Amino acid sequence: MMKACVTATVYCLPEALLKNEDLAAKFGDWTADKIFEKTGIHERHIADVNECASDLAVLAGKKLLDQELCTREEVDFLLLCTQTPDYFLPTTACLVQDRLGLRTTCGALDFNLGCSGFVYGLGLAKGLIETGQARNILLITAETYSKFIHENDKSVRTIFGDGAAATLVQAVSLDGNLSIEAIGPFVYGTDGRGAENLIVPAGGMRQKDLVESAGPSRDAFGNERTSANLYMNGAEIFNFTLRTVPASVNQLLEKLQMHFEDFDWIVFHQANQYMLDHLQKKLRIPKERFVISMEQTGNTVSSSIPIALADLASTGRLKSGQRVMLVGFGVGYSWAATVICWRAGC
Amino acid sequence: MANENDLFSHLEQILEMNPGTLQINQNVRELKTWDSLKLLEVIAFADSELHVELDAESLSKCGTVGDIVSLLSASVRSQQSGNR
């Protein structure tokens, strides 16, 4: 029986940079060093006005295919996670299929998730492979949140960056040992009561047009936004994280009858460093196994976990056969946790 | 630990104020060090040191340092009475 396995992941980032120095010059109240101290971020990559999710997805996809672990013709399914599609329709994955030159007998779909998207994507890929529907899946996360962000909203401009990651999930034989999983088990969670705490209110079908005629509103911290811009209630999100992440991680450990020391790496969604540091201490995760990887990218939403994995792999720290816990959480609210055995059976 | 003097001292540290310089009736929004990340720091303090979840909406409505101290105290009392 074939099992789904993560065999490679790469990423690409837009060229334009938003550095702490740029933010310090614009907003004035924080120095560049202070911004880094508070966020753990030096710079974020920002998509050009004409650069969309499909463009980043194609770049990442090409980079992955250049590794020649599988040919274009062998890719039989494309999963694209994005909350900033090129169009409402058609599906952005269809555009990416065409531009990557994937075969027309390849399945392709978009799914709309943010910070939990990569882990959900692994669940979808595992389902497709282990039910015999696919063998070589391109799981791409591509996000351009910057296009939602008001230029005078410091709260989110300091945090979010754009980027795309492409991950190859392949069917592998694990020598007939059905008790070994190369991906899984999974813990999933959803709580729509948190919907309004990370939201772009206007532009979708619920509110197609802006209602403000007097321009953007300003919050208590001086951040400006319209209903077409990203709004994030950081305090509510933090409370959600503190409620759900420890519980879901413990649920995963319980399923596996394992402890943190049984994992080579623990990669959480790279939301912001302050939150990650707090979670690491709260859960008593060994610091040397807990990955922080956002200095040069910021929070890239669904791409943050695969970007961290790619950096671990490209620097030689992530080795074949190593066990990695992945935990995504955020917008929705939505969360998911899983374990992968990197390049198992390869 | 829910002694209001201790809570006040911890808030002094979170707000990056020198000991003895913060007043209980200080409007936090007038402090240069008050920003959206300070909300996270207060929540983190409540979580790690007091083991309570601080209601984010109530915290955002706090005007003075005293309001935050009262909210922290009330959260601890509520937790303790819930545990009985």
Side-chain angles (χ1 to χ4, degrees), chain B residues 1-11 24 66 68-74 77:
Chain B
M1 177 263 289
N3 174 290
E4 292 204 350
N5 287 334
D6 290 334
L7 295 174
F8 182 79
S9 295
H10 277 277
L11 275 179
I24 194 77
I68 300 177
V69 170
S70 299
L71 179 63
L72 288 165
S73 276
R77 281 196 305 276

Side-chain angles (χ1 to χ4, degrees), chain A residues 58-59 69 110 116 137 208 235 287 314 323:
Chain A
V58 166
L59 284 173
L69 288 171
D110 290 357
S116 63
I137 296 180
K208 281 180 80 175
K287 201 167 181 183
S314 67
R323 187 184 287 126

Side-chain angles (χ1 to χ4, degrees), chain A residues 185-187 246-260 262-263 325 337 339:
Chain A
F186 285 81
V187 170
S248 57
V249 166
N250 287 330
Q251 207 178 331
L252 186 67
L253 292 174
E254 181 70 31
K255 275 192 183 190
L256 290 161
Q257 289 293 291
M258 284 185 180
H259 304 279
F260 288 119
D262 296 311
F263 295 85
M325 177 189 291
V339 182

Side-chain angles (χ1 to χ4, degrees), chain A residues 244-304:
Chain A
T244 54
V245 172
S248 57
V249 166
N250 287 330
Q251 207 178 331
L252 186 67
L253 292 174
E254 181 70 31
K255 275 192 183 190
L256 290 161
Q257 289 293 291
M258 284 185 180
H259 304 279
F260 288 119
E261 289 71 23
D262 296 311
F263 295 85
D264 296 287
W265 302 103
I266 292 123
V267 182
F268 283 12
H269 160 58
Q270 305 290 298
N272 71 66
Q273 177 142 5
Y274 186 81
M275 197 182 283
L276 290 179
D277 286 343
H278 186 85
L279 285 168
Q280 179 263 315
K281 290 185 189 103
K282 183 180 175 78
L283 285 162
R284 298 197 179 95
I285 299 172
K287 201 167 181 183
E288 66 279 6
R289 300 172 200 253
F290 189 66
V291 177
I292 306 266
S293 176
M294 57 192 303
E295 280 190 22
Q296 260 68 52
T297 60
N299 176 344
T300 52
V301 199
S302 55
S303 296
S304 86

Side-chain angles (χ1 to χ4, degrees), chain B:
Chain B
M1 177 263 289
N3 174 290
E4 292 204 350
N5 287 334
D6 290 334
L7 295 174
F8 182 79
S9 295
H10 277 277
L11 275 179
E12 270 186 326
Q13 288 176 43
I14 290 170
L15 294 170
E16 301 171 66
M17 304 289 289
N18 291 325
T21 60
L22 190 64
Q23 303 298 316
I24 194 77
N25 58 356
Q26 168 71 53
N27 183 334
V28 289
R29 291 185 184 83
E30 291 172 0
L31 290 171
K32 277 190 183 174
T33 54
W34 183 251
D35 56 40
S36 54
L37 284 175
K38 285 294 173 217
L39 292 173
L40 302 195
E41 289 185 46
V42 176
I43 288 172
F45 164 71
D47 179 59
S48 60
E49 303 300 324
L50 306 177
H51 308 294
V52 297
E53 177 179 325
L54 206 60
D55 181 68
E57 191 176 350
S58 301
L59 179 61
S60 69
K61 289 177 179 164
C62 288
T64 66
V65 172
D67 292 340
I68 300 177
V69 170
S70 299
L71 179 63
L72 288 165
S73 276
S75 301
V76 171
R77 281 196 305 276
S78 174
Q79 168 104 320
Q80 286 171 346
S81 62
N83 285 342
R84 288 203 192 98

